[in-house]
Amino acid sequence: STPLTYLLSTNQKKAQPIMPPFGTILSSIALLVITITSSGNHVASAFVNSSSFATKRTPPSIHQHLHIMMGKRQQQQRQNKGNKRNNKKKQSLETLLELESDLHDRGFKYVIGSDDSGGAGCIAGPVVVASCCVMQPYSSLFGNKPSDESTESDILPQSAIDALSKVNDCKILTPTQRQEIYDIIKQYPNVFAITTAERSAPQIDELNLLRATQLAFAESIETLVEQHELPYEECYAIVDGKISPKLYADQREEESDMLNHQAFAKRFSVRPYVNGDANVFVVALASIVARVTHNAEMAEFHESHPDYNFDENNGYGSKSHIDVLHRLGSLEGIHRMSFKQVAGR
């Protein structure tokens, strides 16, 4: 039989067969397009290009179809990232203490956490690194006492313990919460050993940000250990990020020369921990100290240079900060001249 197109006549109750032209028949061939999505599913869509088929709904084009599929995939990815962020915020104090408790059981009495503030994303001001070590057993700090009970023999008052139970990555704490925890850390030096080290904007330009930050990490950890005369064999350091600093680099070279290039005696272990500020208690404490210290220095810069709003942007390359750079130019000694957002301003 010959291909026919049936059109419904408005004046007749029955459809009348009409023979279409040969060119119209050729244009009525359906093309099947198989689209392989990134998830491995196969979606078949038939697209018919014919003027003789009068339909009320036009099937989506291949670009429209891909746009819909990619939109759904991106929505799922955003949802997954949101779930990860929510899980990160729900870290309990018990979870934050798991790694340290394990290290204590293995004989490492002094677990040192380190983190930095003012690193990637900042175009002005120093990079600040803080290190923190809890000098008292956790069992004596976080007991299961009712919140209204506190005795003179307690190392920390219950109000301080309640505040410390909220410790987490400083980025998800409010400025008020960060300041409260920072004040407690400073108020009880017999419980919290802390040190800070920093590298200025000119030093960052000279060394590059990565090397400057690693040197500040090493200085901060070494200073804490030496100031408190901690035994090396009982120390273990954890730094936030993907790279661990080389501790005692200068002494390593000197002693290597003295010992005719024999192997340098390893003092104590240091390991990197990605997202350590959200998973390790002492690293979270260090992140808070570093953030409060860095922001306080940027507030001082704001007093002498109020037009740059350092008290709000804290040295980060926000749009308003970049706009000010375009209008007023950069500040020598404060802005990082080697950074592309600042160079030439």
Side-chain angles (χ1 to χ4, degrees), residues 296-336:
E297 293 195 28
M298 297 310 299
E300 292 179 3
F301 288 140
H302 174 72
E303 292 180 2
S304 54
H305 305 281
D307 292 335
Y308 289 82
N309 297 319
F310 289 131
D311 61 332
E312 296 180 3
N313 59 50
N314 291 312
Y316 285 87
S318 63
K319 184 180 183 303
S320 59
H321 192 175
I322 300 298
D323 290 341
V324 174
L325 278 178
H326 284 289
R327 289 190 293 106
L328 304 179
S330 58
L331 298 171
E332 187 174 356
I334 296 179
H335 282 102
R336 302 173 184 179

Side-chain angles (χ1 to χ4, degrees), residues 35 48 93 96 98 109 146 149 188 199 212 253 286 316 333 345:
T35 303
V48 181
L93 178 61
L96 290 174
E98 281 181 357
K109 183 178 179 181
E149 290 187 11
Y188 297 95
R199 293 295 183 271
E253 293 178 1
Y316 285 87
R345 304 296 177 194

Side-chain angles (χ1 to χ4, degrees), residues 26 51 75 143 159 222-223 273 301:
L26 292 179
S51 59
Q75 182 179 5
S159 58
E222 292 168 10
T223 302
Y273 195 119
F301 288 140

Side-chain angles (χ1 to χ4, degrees), residues 128-242:
V128 177
V129 172
S131 295
C132 182
C133 179
V134 178
M135 306 295 285
Q136 302 292 337
Y138 288 125
S139 58
S140 63
L141 298 179
F142 305 109
N144 295 322
K145 298 179 302 180
S147 58
D148 57 347
E149 290 187 11
S150 183
T151 64
E152 294 182 359
S153 61
D154 291 339
I155 298 176
L156 294 175
Q158 190 61 41
S159 58
I161 294 175
D162 292 341
L164 291 171
S165 65
K166 301 174 184 177
V167 166
N168 211 311
D169 177 8
C170 69
K171 293 185 287 294
I172 65 175
L173 298 176
T174 65
T176 302
Q177 290 174 321
R178 288 196 295 263
Q179 188 65 50
E180 180 184 13
I181 295 170
Y182 175 83
D183 292 339
I184 292 172
I185 293 172
K186 296 287 286 185
Q187 187 178 353
Y188 297 95
N190 62 317
V191 178
F192 305 102
I194 59 171
T195 54
T196 59
E198 64 180 61
R199 293 295 183 271
S200 65
Q203 289 175 312
I204 292 172
D205 290 331
E206 180 183 356
L207 298 169
N208 76 49
L209 179 59
L210 177 60
R211 177 160 173 74
T213 303
Q214 291 304 305
L215 289 175
F217 266 119
E219 178 185 336
S220 179
I221 296 172
E222 292 168 10
T223 302
L224 189 151
V225 172
E226 301 304 328
Q227 280 185 354
H228 295 272
E229 299 181 346
L230 303 182
Y232 296 143
E233 65 275 8
E234 296 182 6
C235 292
Y236 196 103
I238 304 172
V239 301
D240 184 67
K242 298 179 179 180

Side-chain angles (χ1 to χ4, degrees), residues 231-270:
Y232 296 143
E233 65 275 8
E234 296 182 6
C235 292
Y236 196 103
I238 304 172
V239 301
D240 184 67
K242 298 179 179 180
I243 305 174
S244 60
K246 294 181 179 179
L247 301 181
Y248 302 99
D250 295 338
Q251 295 92 324
R252 186 187 301 266
E253 293 178 1
E254 292 175 4
E255 294 186 23
S256 178
D257 292 337
M258 292 172 57
L259 298 175
N260 298 322
H261 302 286
Q262 293 179 6
F264 176 76
K266 186 177 181 181
R267 281 177 162 81
F268 58 88
S269 298
V270 54

Side-chain angles (χ1 to χ4, degrees), residues 2-21:
T2 21
L4 298 177
T5 301
Y6 291 92
L7 301 177
L8 184 62
S9 173
T10 54
N11 299 326
Q12 298 181 4
K13 295 183 179 180
K14 295 183 179 181
Q16 300 297 325
I18 302 174
M19 178 66 70

